[in-house]
Amino acid sequence: MSFIEKKSEKINRAIATIEKEIKLIQEYRTTLIYETVTGKIDVRKYRPPSKFTNANSNKPK
């Protein structure tokens, strides 16, 4: 097996893994939306984190 074939195989395995992960995330998203819409999950009190909050915001200056 040549160098290029070995590298191609490794890349193809990585692509396959990522594609599986994407599919699982899409399934999770679909399930989460379904359960929210049907009332199985209560999201009325959910507040998304501020996009400006960071880990250093509580440190004294």
Side-chain angles (χ1 to χ4, degrees):
M1 189 182 279
S2 74
F3 173 80
I4 293 174
E5 289 171 330
K6 288 178 184 178
K7 291 298 181 179
S8 293
E9 184 178 308
K10 185 176 179 179
I11 291 168
N12 289 336
R13 280 195 311 266
I15 290 171
T17 300
I18 291 168
E19 287 174 340
K20 278 193 242 177
E21 290 174 355
I22 290 170
K23 184 177 179 187
L24 288 172
I25 291 169
Q26 289 171 333
E27 289 175 6
Y28 175 73
R29 178 179 178 258
T30 300
T31 301
L32 188 60
I33 291 170
Y34 172 79
E35 290 182 355
T36 302
V37 170
T38 59
K40 292 182 180 184
I41 298 175
D42 185 5
V43 294
R44 291 176 287 186
K45 293 182 182 180
Y46 175 76
R47 297 291 177 260
S50 171
K51 67 180 183 178
F52 298 109
T53 302
N54 63 37
N56 298 324
S57 63
N58 294 330
K59 290 186 178 179
K61 295 181 181 182

